[in-house]
Amino acid sequence: QIQPVESGGGLVQPGGSLRLSCAASRITFSLYSMGWYRQAPGNEREMVARITNDGATNVADSVQGRFTISRDHAKNMVYLQMNSLKPEDTAVYYCNVHALLGGLDYWGQGTQVTVSS
């Protein structure tokens, strides 16, 4: 069973930064694309950023220019660097691992990000 594990959430003031990390062990990393999604209370889960197995990225318009996704194949890790955080970025952030063969999705437990003064 693939179980992504997120870390790095917390409370930050508007304009601040956080870096989320996701560890995805026991997989052949190059066979999966990775992504970050978020869900705020009362809202549906939405895509924040995705990165393919060869490094191509896709970032939501709402975070373009502020958030950056990256991955480290050697460590089986994916990161989300979040800068210039806004109160509307407050949500539970989830790591997604998508199998390129078979199309299965695996989700982490989520990490809370709260942007507030």
Side-chain angles (χ1 to χ4, degrees):
Q1 179 70 21
I2 297 172
Q3 179 60 61
V5 179
E6 305 99 336
S7 60
L11 173 64
V12 63
Q13 293 186 342
S17 297
L18 282 175
R19 188 175 84 151
L20 304 183
S21 300
C22 176
S25 60
R26 297 188 296 177
I27 65 172
T28 302
F29 209 53
S30 61
L31 298 181
Y32 296 81
S33 66
M34 312 285 290
W36 289 97
Y37 290 70
R38 68 185 181 186
Q39 187 167 18
N43 290 356
E44 294 186 353
R45 191 173 296 188
E46 62 176 359
M47 189 275 289
V48 177
R50 293 204 58 82
I51 185 166
T52 67
N53 59 333
D54 59 0
T57 62
N58 180 30
V59 180
D61 290 343
S62 59
V63 304
Q64 186 72 250
R66 300 188 296 121
F67 291 12
T68 303
I69 188 170
S70 61
R71 62 192 288 171
D72 185 330
H73 283 252
K75 298 181 179 179
N76 276 22
M77 297 286 292
V78 62
Y79 306 99
L80 185 67
Q81 179 66 45
M82 305 186 294
N83 299 328
S84 302
L85 282 160
K86 304 175 181 180
E88 51 263 43
D89 295 317
T90 296
V92 178
Y93 284 70
Y94 296 91
C95 178
N96 170 263
V97 177
H98 176 76
L100 300 178
L101 300 177
L104 291 178
D105 283 291
Y106 303 90
W107 295 92
Q109 301 275 13
T111 185
Q112 176 70 47
V113 172
T114 302
V115 185
S116 175
S117 55

